Amino acid sequence: MSSSNSTGSTQQHQYYYVPTERICITFLSLFGISTFVHTVQALYFRLWWLIPSAIFCGFLELAGWSSRLWSSQNPFLRNPVIIQAVTLVIAPTPLVAANFILLGHIIRRLGSQYSRLAPRRYTIIFVSCDIISLLVQAMGGGIASGSQTPNAQAQLGSDIALGGTVFQLVAIIVYCALAAEFITRYTWDRPMRSTHVPGGAFRGIVDIRLRRMLYAMSVMTAFILIRTLYRTVEFANGWSGKVISTQWLFNVFDGTMITLAMLTLNAFHPGVLMQELGYPYPSSSNGTPPEDPLKPSNHFEMRAV
């Protein structure tokens, strides 16, 4: 759906097309609905960590697509180009962090002895990687979009953003590998290390709700991974390359992928699938699990087993 280059040389150096107004409105509507629902869900279930993750992602997407809508109506302005370049390149990063945090919660529920890393380390290590990626991508996007022409400055910004995107891609792949190893070890009851506690090590049970949460996390990760691969190819192709100048590629592999990821988390929400009216753990086969951050602060009772 790329537009012709008849809008003038200035516009060529910004998008190489004019963003389609109806597409921008569609994504604004979808992200607006999803972000509103995420906000209500986070407040209702008191899952405050969703505010700097999924909800923050939604607001960044809204800022980015509002800027693209602005550009569709005022194609020669520089400010909306810069805003959308920075916000949309970093927007999925907080959503990735939500998946990292969720994996730590699930490991606590099922048994940390099956995990290569302690549950808290998943949050510390991978969220730190996420923040580094976010800062590098934001800097690269800002430098590249601030250039009036596709010159060395634009290429430098593109290269910096590429480095941040590749770093994020590697982090996601490592996360997927560790998550797959944990699930495999849990399934076959092959712990990473022995635990010496009275009554045996805690081993949680994967009930239907937790199974749905795991499927949803897998789907979300797939959507985000596709988007990250697209962005990697886009930046590698250059700020004036064919990929970045083709609108339908951006709409499908960036906007659509993140929309689907956010809606998946709406539909399969941890507040519904992992809290169960304030009791954070399903019945266990033995042992007592450690406290989980998903548990609301005003509940202290554990489910009888």
Side-chain angles (χ1 to χ4, degrees), residues 187-200:
T187 302
W188 293 97
D189 197 12
R190 300 290 178 84
M192 282 287 303
R193 50 194 168 274
S194 59
T195 55
H196 303 286
V197 296

Side-chain angles (χ1 to χ4, degrees), residues 10-305:
T10 301
Q11 178 60 23
Q12 286 182 358
H13 297 319
Q14 294 186 50
Y15 290 101
Y16 297 87
Y17 57 82
V18 178
T20 305
E21 183 177 12
R22 67 179 181 276
I23 291 177
C24 296
I25 293 173
T26 298
F27 279 116
L28 274 173
S29 301
L30 292 172
F31 281 119
I33 293 170
S34 179
T35 303
F36 174 76
V37 174
H38 271 302
T39 302
V40 172
Q41 290 173 320
L43 294 175
Y44 180 79
F45 292 109
R46 298 187 297 283
L47 299 182
W48 310 123
W49 55 270
L50 285 172
I51 296 175
S53 54
I55 295 172
F56 185 41
C57 169
F59 279 111
L60 288 172
E61 290 286 350
L62 287 171
W65 284 98
S66 294
S67 298
R68 287 179 70 87
L69 178 61
W70 186 7
S71 287
S72 73
Q73 299 164 349
N74 300 274
F76 297 103
L77 295 179
R78 291 292 302 162
N79 285 342
V81 179
I82 296 172
I83 294 171
Q84 68 87 34
V86 174
T87 55
L88 293 182
V89 75
I90 67 174
T93 304
L95 189 60
V96 176
N99 255 10
F100 295 158
I101 294 170
L102 274 171
L103 178 61
H105 293 324
I106 289 174
I107 288 172
R108 287 186 182 93
R109 291 170 63 88
L110 297 183
S112 60
Q113 67 271 23
Y114 301 106
S115 173
R116 186 169 295 272
L117 299 176
R120 186 175 296 275
R121 289 188 178 180
Y122 281 94
T123 301
I124 294 173
I125 293 173
F126 287 105
V127 171
S128 297
C129 290
D130 232 26
I131 293 172
I132 294 171
S133 170
L134 184 149
L135 294 175
V136 174
Q137 289 181 77
M139 181 172 63
I143 292 173
S145 61
S147 175
Q148 293 287 341
T149 58
N151 54 18
Q153 178 182 334
Q155 187 57 48
L156 173 63
S158 181
D159 291 342
I160 292 173
L162 173 62
T165 305
V166 170
F167 183 76
Q168 183 180 57
L169 178 63
V170 171
I172 293 174
I173 292 173
V174 172
Y175 155 81
C176 291
L178 290 173
E181 181 190 37
F182 168 75
I183 294 300
T184 301
R185 287 185 176 277
Y186 170 84
T187 302
W188 293 97
D189 197 12
R190 300 290 178 84
M192 282 287 303
R193 50 194 168 274
S194 59
T195 55
H196 303 286
V197 296
F202 168 76
R203 175 182 165 86
I205 294 175
V206 180
D207 61 5
I208 185 63
R209 291 188 176 190
L210 189 54
R211 184 174 290 110
R212 289 173 181 170
M213 189 76 256
L214 288 168
Y215 289 153
M217 288 174 61
S218 300
V219 171
M220 279 177 59
T221 302
F223 288 142
I224 294 171
L225 189 59
I226 291 170
R227 181 267 178 189
T228 306
L229 287 169
Y230 160 73
R231 281 292 197 169
T232 301
V233 173
E234 178 190 57
F235 289 130
N237 191 233
W239 200 253
S240 58
K242 178 67 174 176
V243 177
I244 202 171
S245 60
T246 305
Q247 183 178 194
W248 74 265
L249 290 174
F250 182 83
N251 294 337
V252 171
F253 293 109
D254 191 291
T256 301
M257 292 301 106
I258 303 306
T259 300
L260 292 174
M262 287 195 65
L263 291 175
T264 298
L265 190 58
N266 284 132
F268 299 90
H269 197 269
V272 175
L273 299 181
M274 294 179 67
Q275 283 197 171
E276 299 183 12
L277 300 178
Y279 300 101
Y281 291 94
S283 300
S284 59
S285 57
N286 53 52
T288 301
E291 184 68 19
D292 192 297
L294 275 178
K295 185 179 180 181
S297 58
N298 62 336
H299 287 276
F300 297 96
E301 181 184 0
M302 296 300 292
R303 171 176 295 181
V305 296

